[in-house]
Amino acid sequence: MDSTQTDEARAAQSRGPINAACADKLREAAALLEAQGANPFRVAAYRRAADTLHSLPGDIGPIIEREGAEGLEALPGIGRGIAGALVEIWRTGRWVQLERLRGSADPVQLFTLLPGLGYRLAERIHDDLHVDTLEALEVAAHDGRLEKVAGVGPRRAAAIRASLQVMLSRGRARRGAVPGGTVTSNAARHPVTAQPTVAELLAVDRQYREKAARGDLPMIAPRRFNPSGEAWLPVLHVTRDGWHYTALYSNTALAHELDRTRDWVVLYFYDDDHVEGQNTIVTETHGPLTGRRVVRGREPECIAHYST
């Protein structure tokens, strides 16, 4: 058994074929998306991929071992984003996107799978960088954002990069190697290079907050910071100009601490291959954009947007 897989993943595979487990998760995601009012295109895509997995004569594990996510993309009905999801399930036994739809996502716990990364530091990384997946964390580890988090620094960031390299190495195509022997993850090699405009993101943010205020959205019960199990978190799925969006209020420790759980909005956006990107939108509290809704990390574009 692959030593880079977690105990949870090994246990899941011991209970039955990985194809069936992955197909069940895809069908559950489709059912949740349908119930939450998502675009039928997304719903149908997950169901098609589940049908493909059920019809395969062999297990997807050897395909991932041999060819990585690119091998899965050659299968009918499986695009780049779904292939990445299947690799994630095979590698960890979990699928963060499905957990998010359920309200059970706990990216902090996911990050503690990395050796030497305790819960408090993992929580700080999540709150400061607004990343939810190991692939997104690896991108932050390579672009310099991770080492700027208090308590990380260059040496620890390098150690986290090395741990992520080991954990994420399975599921990458052998041809993914780059000069010098470094292999980057699917997220690093194939990021969402195009992304929605600031104007589009702000429009979805406004639509989400207005619908949430009117009580027009389905609610989910997040597991984190919700001891009563109340379904309080509104969720919006919407398609605009070729992008599929999921919008949720931030449910991080920092959002609760600063009483921003009804202000900070996390937007997940997907292209037609179901490759995910993410932005956080907040009300700015200082500088020239004070009082304005701002897309974190894209402040110069926000200034240009509001000046027109």
Side-chain angles (χ1 to χ4, degrees), residues 18-301:
I18 189 64
N19 292 23
C22 289
D24 287 347
K25 288 181 185 294
L26 289 169
R27 291 192 184 282
E28 182 183 355
L32 287 169
L33 285 166
E34 188 171 50
Q36 294 170 5
N39 188 297
F41 169 86
R42 289 184 65 192
V43 175
Y46 287 127
R47 287 177 174 154
R48 281 196 303 271
D51 290 342
T52 292
L53 293 179
H54 272 303
S55 67
L56 288 179
D59 190 89
I60 62 171
I63 298 175
I64 297 171
E65 284 272 14
R66 188 172 58 249
E67 303 174 57
E70 285 85 347
L72 299 177
E73 291 174 46
L75 299 174
I78 296 182
R80 185 152 53 96
I82 292 178
L86 295 175
V87 171
E88 179 185 350
I89 297 166
W90 175 83
R91 188 174 58 231
T92 69
R94 304 173 61 176
W95 182 18
V96 169
Q97 184 180 332
L98 174 59
E99 293 175 2
R100 189 185 304 138
L101 293 171
R102 291 171 176 162
S104 62
D106 190 350
V108 175
Q109 192 64 44
L110 176 65
F111 294 165
T112 62
L113 295 175
L114 295 167
L117 193 55
Y119 192 89
R120 287 190 177 181
L121 182 55
E123 187 171 60
R124 191 180 309 133
I125 289 169
H126 174 250
D127 287 348
D128 288 2
L129 301 183
H130 303 284
V131 293
D132 289 352
T133 65
L134 294 175
E135 287 81 3
L137 178 59
E138 188 182 37
V139 171
H142 281 277
D143 67 17
R145 285 177 292 147
L146 178 61
E147 67 184 56
K148 295 176 182 176
V149 174
V152 179
R155 291 184 64 181
R156 178 166 274 173
I160 293 173
R161 279 196 301 272
S163 295
L164 285 164
Q165 169 64 28
V166 172
M167 182 171 284
L168 298 177
S169 60
R170 295 296 185 180
R172 296 168 180 161
R174 297 296 184 264
R175 62 180 178 275
V178 296
T182 300
V183 183
T184 55
S185 72
N186 286 332
R189 284 188 293 110
H190 299 303
V192 181
T193 51
Q195 54 185 327
T197 65
V198 159
E200 277 295 310
L201 293 170
L202 293 172
V204 176
D205 167 67
R206 182 172 58 253
Q207 181 181 4
Y208 172 69
R209 290 182 296 114
E210 289 175 352
K211 283 179 172 271
R214 293 196 303 266
D216 291 344
L217 297 175
M219 300 284 195
I220 60 177
R223 181 178 298 173
R224 299 186 75 209
F225 312 114
N226 189 26
S228 67
E230 177 190 359
W232 69 266
L233 183 59
V235 56
L236 169 72
H237 300 287
V238 66
T239 300
R240 295 174 60 106
D241 290 343
W243 291 100
H244 309 282
Y245 296 92
T246 295
L248 297 158
Y249 281 124
S250 177
N251 188 41
T252 65
L254 189 60
H256 282 272
E257 179 184 338
L258 299 179
D259 194 24
R260 294 293 188 270
T261 55
R262 294 289 180 173
D263 182 278
W264 297 355
V265 173
V266 183
L267 292 185
Y268 303 92
F269 54 89
Y270 311 84
D271 60 19
D272 284 342
D273 283 330
H274 305 280
V275 179
E276 180 182 287
Q278 176 183 337
N279 283 114
T280 300
I281 301 180
V282 305
T283 302
E284 186 57 273
T285 58
H286 63 278
L289 293 172
T290 297
R292 301 274 198 176
R293 297 294 288 176
V294 170
V295 182
R296 277 284 172 252
R298 300 178 66 177
E299 286 83 358
E301 294 172 75

